[in-house]
Structure formats: structure tokens, C-alpha cells
Amino acid sequence: MEEFRFALKRYFLISLAYFFIGVTFGLLMKEAGYETIWAFLSAVFIYGGTIQLLLVGILKNHNTYLDNRINFLTC
């Protein structure tokens, strides 16, 4: 039972951090003009953590993968 309590404390702290990342991602997607369903689907199918926050900027600017690679290489 002691191990379970220890694991539960650790789980709570980690899930709390992911909760705030998810809320931030949802708010940024809403600000970028996307509906809630798109934020939900991308959170479910794209496991990227904080990379999802960068995804908002990419989607907002309507950049393609090739555009992003060219911009990266020219910097």
C-alpha cells in the first residue's frame, strides 16, 4: 500500500503538469481560429508534449513541412 501512495503522489504531480500544457494548447488553438474538435483530435493522435505548442504556430501560418525545413536551413 505504501508503494501505491508513493506512485499516486508522483502520478498526480505529473498529470497536473500535463493538464496545464493541455489547457494552454487548447487556448492557443482556439485563438488561432481552430475549433475545439481539432484541438482534441490533435491532442489524442499527436503525442508530442510541448511540441504541440509549436504546432499551433505552424498551423496558424499555414506552412508546409517543406517551408519549415527551408526556413530552418536558412537561419
Side-chain angles (χ1 to χ4, degrees):
M1 191 63 167
E2 242 179 82
E3 293 87 7
F4 179 74
R5 287 185 190 165
F6 177 77
L8 190 61
K9 287 179 186 177
R10 296 295 188 250
Y11 168 76
F12 177 72
L13 294 174
I14 291 171
S15 63
L16 189 64
Y18 277 110
F19 173 76
F20 288 113
I21 290 173
V23 168
T24 304
F25 176 68
L27 291 173
L28 287 173
M29 286 289 282
K30 198 68 157 168
E31 180 185 314
Y34 290 95
E35 295 182 23
T36 308
I37 189 70
W38 291 111
F40 175 75
L41 289 175
S42 61
V44 168
F45 292 111
I46 302 171
Y47 180 73
T50 55
I51 297 299
Q52 288 178 327
L53 300 176
L54 296 175
L55 178 67
V56 175
I58 293 170
L59 292 174
K60 189 175 182 179
N61 293 329
H62 303 291
N63 289 350
T64 63
Y65 178 75
L66 185 58
D67 291 336
N68 291 329
R69 297 302 300 168
I70 291 171
N71 289 337
F72 176 75
L73 294 175
T74 57
C75 289

